[in-house]
Amino acid sequence: LQRLVGQLITGQPVSVAVVGGSISAGATYTTLRGSKASWLWHRLFFDWVNASFPHRDNSHFNGALPASTPGYVESCVTLHVPLAADLVFVEYAANFDNERAYERLLRRLLRYERQPAIVLLNMPYFFGTGLNRNIDPDLPTTARDLNFSFHDTMAAENSITLLAQHYGV
């Protein structure tokens, strides 16, 4: 992270990359092709970096792919995260397949020669949240609906947090 901050302060170009699922890809394959889509969270971040620390060679790479998992990406990570990346966002909480695959992906990124700063993101995963426009308001709520436990859905977030602490990212 210190190297990245140093690059920004001294006016050197930076390369920002993101890898993850549909949250980062923009939900569909067609959106993925438009990595310059101004509404993508990482594009907004990159635009801020570029406005705050302008350089004609600053770059942004969207390597996210809808429905992809760390298990898939770990085998072809250099296709999704350029070797020249200075900052890599990893977003897989909703597409978490297993701890070992996530850790192998993380270790591969940590072994990149440029030693990019890595930020692991946990986007909240609440099944159905945000989809209220598709829910019939006249449908009665049952006791079963109100007893839903988020305990099992937090496994990814807990594992990712432990890995972040272990690797210092």
Side-chain angles (χ1 to χ4, degrees), residues 23 93-95 122-129 148 150 153-154 156-157:
I23 291 169
N95 293 43
N122 285 336
M123 299 296 185
Y125 179 71
F126 300 109
F127 184 77
T129 300
F148 181 78
F150 285 95
T153 63
M154 298 303 288
E157 288 85 349

Side-chain angles (χ1 to χ4, degrees), residues 142-155:
T142 67
R144 181 175 180 258
D145 296 332
L146 299 175
N147 283 329
F148 181 78
S149 170
F150 285 95
H151 176 72
D152 292 339
T153 63
M154 298 303 288

Side-chain angles (χ1 to χ4, degrees), residues 5-164:
V5 171
Q7 282 177 251
L8 292 170
I9 291 173
T10 59
Q12 298 174 48
V14 296
S15 174
V16 177
V18 62
V19 64
S22 58
I23 291 169
S24 296
T28 66
Y29 179 77
T30 56
T31 307
L32 174 66
R33 298 301 94 205
S35 67
K36 295 183 186 221
S38 62
W39 55 270
L40 291 170
W41 68 266
H42 48 84
R43 185 62 200 196
L44 293 169
F45 174 80
F46 175 75
D47 289 346
W48 173 82
V49 167
N50 209 28
S52 301
F53 304 94
H55 195 288
R56 65 185 173 135
D57 292 328
N58 283 345
S59 63
H60 169 256
F61 188 82
N62 184 359
L65 186 64
S68 66
T69 65
Y72 160 73
V73 173
E74 70 163 312
S75 62
C76 55
V77 67
T78 57
L79 297 175
H80 294 271
V81 179
L83 292 170
D86 298 302
L87 172 61
V88 180
F89 289 104
V90 180
E91 171 274 310
Y92 276 116
N95 293 43
F96 192 80
D97 49 359
N98 70 64
E99 295 167 348
R100 294 189 187 277
Y102 193 99
E103 184 178 17
R104 286 190 302 266
L105 171 61
L106 178 57
R107 282 189 281 124
R108 284 196 165 103
L109 292 170
L110 288 168
R111 289 184 181 135
Y112 269 32
E113 186 175 338
R114 289 181 60 95
Q115 297 180 335
I118 298 174
V119 177
L120 307 182
L121 296 176
N122 285 336
M123 299 296 185
Y125 179 71
F126 300 109
F127 184 77
T129 300
L131 302 175
N132 293 337
R133 65 185 176 279
N134 297 324
I135 298 173
D136 182 351
D138 297 324
L139 189 65
T141 302
T142 67
R144 181 175 180 258
D145 296 332
L146 299 175
N147 283 329
F148 181 78
S149 170
F150 285 95
H151 176 72
D152 292 339
T153 63
M154 298 303 288
E157 288 85 349
N158 293 337
S159 295
I160 291 168
T161 300
L162 291 173
L163 285 169

